[in-house]
Amino acid sequence: MSRIASAVTAIRIRDAVAAVDDPEYPGISIVDLGLLESIDIGPDGDITIGLIPTFSGCPALAMIADEVHAAVSAVNELDANRVEVRWLNTPAWTVDRISKTGRDTMAQEFTLAVRNKLEPVACPRCGDETTEDSLFGSSRCRAIHLCPSCAEVIEVMRSGA
Amino acid sequence: MGRTWESLDDFEAFLDQGGTVEVDDDMPNAYRLAVFAFIEMHANSELMGGLTERDWIPRSPGLRHKMSVLAKTQDEIGHGHLLYMVAADMAVKTRQRMLEDLFAGRSKFHNVFHYRAKTWGDQVAISFLVDAAALTSQQAVFKKCSYGPYRRILKRIIAEEGFHMRMGEERVLLIAEGTETQRQMFQQSINDWWWPALQLFGPDSKPDDVLLRWHIKSERNEVLRAQWVQKFVPMLLSYGFSIPDPGLTYEAETDNWIAGPIDWEPLKLTMDMEGPDSARRIAEAAANWDDTRWVRDAMDRAPERSKRAAT
């Protein structure tokens, strides 16, 4: 494959991966969540997609990998047998990988906030500072906060643990 | 302080126009109590469901199922947590009081958690039939629910329950393509869980149902139940399983499956805490609460450490 053809293919592949949503959050792309780490196109046309899990024990890994595999294989003239989706062990996922679009959609559609390190978390509804109710929410990547101003119950995406 | 209304008529007119009530609004007490009872029952059901799910973590057939059961357990407990917070904000009962009432058998939870899951087949039937029934009714509430804090939480819960449904479908396909023994086990589970799942929707809605009148729910029980029957009868038949309803009929002109007469006695028993497994379930939940006290104490005593661990 020529360098230009390879670059065009990489863009198409990236778009295909970006069309895959988080299974728990319809409308939020896994690329906006920062799951896509690498797209490698070998000299013989083999394609390897490297993904980073938010948490290694995440139960959606198999489902996401299957969807990415199907989406990439559907890109023009790619052979499904030559597409491989791999979950990488490094680098570790952190909330820094979530894009602005990802953050905005989470806040608007799901009242979901993101915690950066130890910084206070603003309420997606009223903007005031929230307090932590529990370090753990309905998944290992989320905590539960309460907004003392508007009493909204908020889920907060976070790194680590 | 939020909005106030001159009279119940004014309040109802506000609701009829699609108004959303927020926690600091001066809502009529009857509305507050109705919404509270609805959310409390939902919260209790998530907690009881999470405990049922947890039983299957060590018994799951294989690592992939184990991961999905683990995650589902955490989801259900997390949903319960969020819902208890939304309910507690309504200032009817504290979170502590709601839990005490649940563990003393004084407050309600969904009928399906008054039965015992005995086999992996039961677990698959639950993640397929029961979860779909719960999701169908939650979607009908979420569409137009007049109580804002609940509607916003439901949006996230529904997104996650949709993920459980896909895992359930995967499990059903696996078992449907399994050995004859596995298929027989699953047929038995369908026989045991079909009616409880169908009754989760409750009896036909009464004309004066305040949940409908105040736009807490947006669809009648019998309509949701019919949708569920319509979806699952053809699906299970196509996998080669049978439906334990001798009165089930197919109406060719409308292409509809219609359930036979329903015996509501089992549902009544569960609401009186006299279902087949009610007593054991409640005792187990209460014992679990005591057994895990040390975790809550440790978390309360070490807020700084928990914050460090989070970064």
Side-chain angles (χ1 to χ4, degrees), chain B residues 191-211:
Chain B
N191 296 348
D192 290 346
W193 290 88
W194 179 260
W195 289 106
L198 182 141
Q199 296 190 351
L200 187 133
F201 295 100
D204 294 3
S205 292
K206 296 197 176 73
D208 58 349
D209 189 340
V210 294
L211 295 174

Side-chain angles (χ1 to χ4, degrees), chain A residues 23-26 57-60 62-63 66-67 109-112 115 117-118 125 132-140 142 144-146 150-155 158-159 161, chain B residues 22-23 64 67-68 70-72 74-79 81-82 85-86 89 95 148-149 152-153 155-156 159-160 162-164 166-167 170 299 303 306-311:
Chain A
E24 290 204 326
Y25 290 110
C58 171
M63 201 178 276
D66 288 349
E67 288 190 17
E109 296 297 318
F110 295 101
T111 343
L112 193 72
R115 177 159 74 196
K117 303 246 161 40
L118 279 178
R125 241 182 116 227
E132 182 184 285
D133 190 80
S134 168
L135 184 55
F136 297 100
S138 56
S139 83
R140 269 156 289 181
R142 267 173 279 159
I144 295 178
H145 283 221
L146 183 69
C150 75
E152 191 72 354
V153 177
I154 298 145
E155 281 188 281
R158 58 177 177 76
S159 323
Chain B
E22 293 296 341
V23 65
R64 188 163 167 167
M67 278 169 71
S68 82
L70 256 168
K72 212 176 138 193
Q74 183 156 10
D75 267 1
E76 311 296 23
I77 301 296
H79 295 165
H81 187 159
L82 295 166
M85 287 173 77
V86 172
D89 279 343
R95 241 192 276 185
R152 291 190 289 274
I153 291 286
K155 181 161 189 180
R156 295 202 296 271
E160 290 172 13
F163 175 56
H164 297 171
R166 289 171 59 183
M167 295 199 287
E170 210 176 272
M299 293 295 279
S306 76
K307 275 184 191 159
R308 276 203 303 279
T311 55

